[in-house]
Amino acid sequence: MRALLPDLSPWRASADFRRLWFSGLISNFGSFLTFVALPVQLKDLTGSAAAVGAVGTVELVPLVVCGLFGGALADALDKRRLIVWTEAGQGLLSAALLLNALLPHPAVWPLYVVAALSSGLVSVQRPALDSLWPRIVAHDDMPAAASLNSLRWTVGGVAGPAVAGVVVAYAGLGWAYAADLLTFAVSLAFIVRIAPCPAAPLRSSGGTPSAAKPSLGAVAEGARYAWSRKELLGTYAVDLAAMFLAMPLAVLPFLADELHAEWALGLMYATVPAGAMLVSLTSGWTSRIHRHGLMVLLSATGWGLAVAAAGVCGNVWLVLLCLTVGGGFDMVSGIFRASMWNQTIPDELRGRLAGIELLSYSVGPQLGQVRAGGMAAWAGVRTSVVSGGLACAGAMGLLALCLPGLMTYDARTNEHAVRMRERRAAALGA
C-alpha cells in the first residue's frame, strides 16, 4: 500500500510548492463551480446543445493567441507577478457573472464574453504556472510533483461539480458564481507569499546573459524547438486528438435529460475528475515507470474506449462508472506527459513550450465541445459520445504507428532528459 501512495518529496522539500498547491486547490474548486453553472445557465436561457457547445468556439481564439504570447511573457517576466495579475483578473470576471445572474432577466451575451476573456487570462497564466514548477522542484521529483498537482486539480474537480450541482439546483446560479469569486480572493493570499521568480537568462556563448524579450521571434524560437523534438510533438498530438474526439462535457446536460436523471448532472461532471483523483491518490507506482511515451498512448486509448462505453450504457450508474474509468486513464496520460515535458525542456524555453502545451491540452477540449454539441444536434447525444470515443481509440493506433520516437521514449536514456538531469545537478553543485 505504501508503494501506491503519492510521493510527497516535493511537498516536504519546498514551501513554495506547498503554497502554489493550496492556491491551485482553492481556485480550481471555485472554477469548477462556474464550469458547471455556466453551461447550465446557457441551457436554461437557450435550450440549445449547439449554443452550449459554441462556448468552445468563443474561447478558442483567445486561447491560441494568448497561450502562445503568454508563453513568451512567462520566459521574459517574473512568473509570480504574472500569476498574481491573471488570478485577480479571473476574480473580476467571476464578479461579472454574478452581477449578470442577479439581473431579473440575465443576458446570454455576457456569458460568451466572460468565457472568451477567461480563456485569454488562463492562457496567459498557465505557461507561467507550468514553467514555475520546474524552478521550485528537484529534477528527479518531477513525476511526483506531476502526481501531486494532478491530485490538487482532481480534488477541486470532484468537489466543485458535485457541490455546484446541489448549489445550482437548490440555491441558484448566483451562489455558485459568488463562491467562485471568494475562492479567487483566498487563492491570491497564497500566491503573493511565493518567492519572486524572475526570468531565466539566455545561455549564450558571450556577452551579458539576459532574458528573451516577448516577441513573435521568441514565440517562433519555441515553436522551432518543439518541432525538433518529435517525442514532444507526439504528446501534443495525442492529447489534442483525445480531447477533440472524445470530450463529452458539452452534452452532459442533455445526456442527463435522456437518462431522466437531471439530479445526476453534477455527478456526471465530477466523474472524470473523480477517476483522475483515484489515480492521483495511488500514483506512487508512476515514479517507477520510465517508458512514459508508451503509457501516454495506452492511457489515451483507454480514455476513448471508456467514453464510448458511457455512450452505450442506458443506466445512469453505469454511465458514471464509465466516465470515472475514463478520467483515470486521462490522468495517467497527463502525469506522464507532464513528466516528459518537465524533465526534458530547458528552463529558458520552458514558458514558450508551456504555451504550446497549453494549446495541446486546451484547444482540444474547446474544439471537442463544438464537435460534441454539433454532432449531438445533428445525430443525437449518444451517437456523439460513442462515435467520438471510438474515433479517439482509432486515432491512438494511427499515432503509435506514425510516432515511433514517442513509443520508445525512456526517461533513463533519452538525450534531452539526461542533459537536463546533468544541468540541474551542476546548478545544485555550483
Side-chain angles (χ1 to χ4, degrees):
M1 286 297 297
R2 180 171 296 180
L4 291 175
L5 294 177
D7 184 352
L8 299 180
S9 299
W11 182 286
R12 290 192 291 264
S14 173
D16 280 345
F17 180 88
R18 294 193 295 273
R19 295 183 184 109
L20 206 56
W21 194 92
F22 277 116
S23 169
L25 174 69
I26 294 165
S27 65
N28 283 344
F29 174 81
S31 296
F32 274 108
L33 291 175
T34 295
F35 181 74
V36 173
L38 192 146
V40 169
Q41 189 175 19
L42 270 175
K43 172 180 172 290
D44 291 343
L45 293 174
T46 68
S48 168
V52 177
V55 171
T57 302
V58 302
E59 292 176 335
L60 183 58
V61 172
L63 190 153
V64 172
V65 174
C66 297
L68 289 174
F69 196 68
L73 287 174
D75 281 336
L77 304 177
D78 186 293
K79 295 172 178 55
R80 184 197 65 171
R81 183 176 300 176
L82 200 56
I83 294 168
V84 166
W85 284 109
T86 50
E87 192 81 354
Q90 287 281 81
L92 292 177
L93 293 180
S94 294
L97 289 174
L98 173 60
L99 292 174
N100 182 60
L102 294 177
L103 294 175
H105 302 287
V108 171
W109 66 265
L111 304 182
Y112 290 110
V113 171
V114 168
L117 293 175
S118 177
S119 176
L121 285 175
V122 169
S123 299
V124 172
Q125 185 185 76
R126 286 300 293 268
L129 280 169
D130 290 346
S131 58
L132 178 58
W133 296 113
R135 298 278 288 272
I136 61 178
V137 175
H139 179 86
D140 290 339
D141 286 341
M142 292 298 181
S147 298
L148 290 173
N149 287 336
S150 301
L151 178 61
R152 173 208 67 186
W153 178 84
T154 55
V155 168
V158 172
V163 172
V166 176
V167 170
V168 170
Y170 296 102
L173 292 160
W175 285 98
Y177 294 139
D180 190 16
L181 175 59
L182 177 62
T183 60
F184 279 118
V186 177
S187 172
L188 276 171
F190 281 99
I191 295 174
V192 295
R193 297 183 60 199
I194 295 172
C197 187
L202 291 176
R203 297 178 183 273
S204 57
S205 56
T208 302
S210 61
K213 292 182 171 59
S215 64
L216 291 177
V219 172
E221 181 186 6
R224 286 193 297 271
Y225 177 82
W227 182 257
S228 71
R229 297 279 309 281
K230 302 308 181 187
E231 72 277 23
L232 286 186
L233 289 180
T235 65
Y236 305 152
V238 166
D239 196 37
L240 186 64
M243 295 298 100
F244 170 67
L245 295 170
M247 178 58 75
L249 298 183
V251 299
L252 290 185
F254 301 91
L255 183 59
D257 287 347
E258 283 198 8
L259 295 169
H260 306 290
E262 294 83 355
W263 56 269
L265 178 59
L267 294 177
M268 286 185 177
Y269 278 113
T271 51
V272 172
M277 184 174 69
L278 291 175
V279 169
S280 299
L281 288 171
T282 57
S283 61
W285 60 274
T286 60
S287 297
R288 297 186 293 277
I289 300 295
H290 306 288
R291 295 285 300 279
H292 296 168
L294 178 61
M295 291 301 297
V296 168
L297 282 164
L298 291 176
S299 53
T301 302
W303 154 258
L305 294 176
V307 169
V312 171
C313 295
N315 179 280
V316 65
W317 294 107
L318 290 178
V319 170
L320 294 173
L321 175 61
C322 290
L323 292 175
T324 301
V325 172
F329 278 119
D330 185 49
M331 179 51 62
V332 173
S333 176
I335 288 173
F336 289 111
R337 289 197 314 271
S339 297
M340 289 178 66
W341 297 338
N342 290 333
Q343 288 187 324
T344 66
I345 297 173
D347 192 48
E348 63 271 18
L349 288 167
R350 193 68 190 86
R352 281 163 284 178
L353 270 292
I356 296 174
E357 292 156 18
L358 174 70
L359 300 186
S360 77
Y361 60 70
S362 297
V363 169
Q366 306 310 324
L367 291 177
Q369 290 189 70
V370 179
R371 185 213 64 82
M375 177 67 78
W378 175 59
V381 172
R382 290 184 177 277
T383 299
S384 173
V385 176
V386 174
S387 63
L390 293 178
C392 169
M396 294 307 113
L398 290 175
L399 288 172
L401 293 174
C402 297
L403 297 167
L406 180 62
M407 288 284 290
T408 59
Y409 175 90
D410 191 314
R412 296 166 296 186
T413 58
N414 178 267
E415 60 175 315
H416 302 284
V418 171
R419 186 180 303 121
M420 284 303 299
R421 186 180 299 113
E422 293 173 348
R423 181 183 293 185
R424 293 292 295 272
L428 290 175

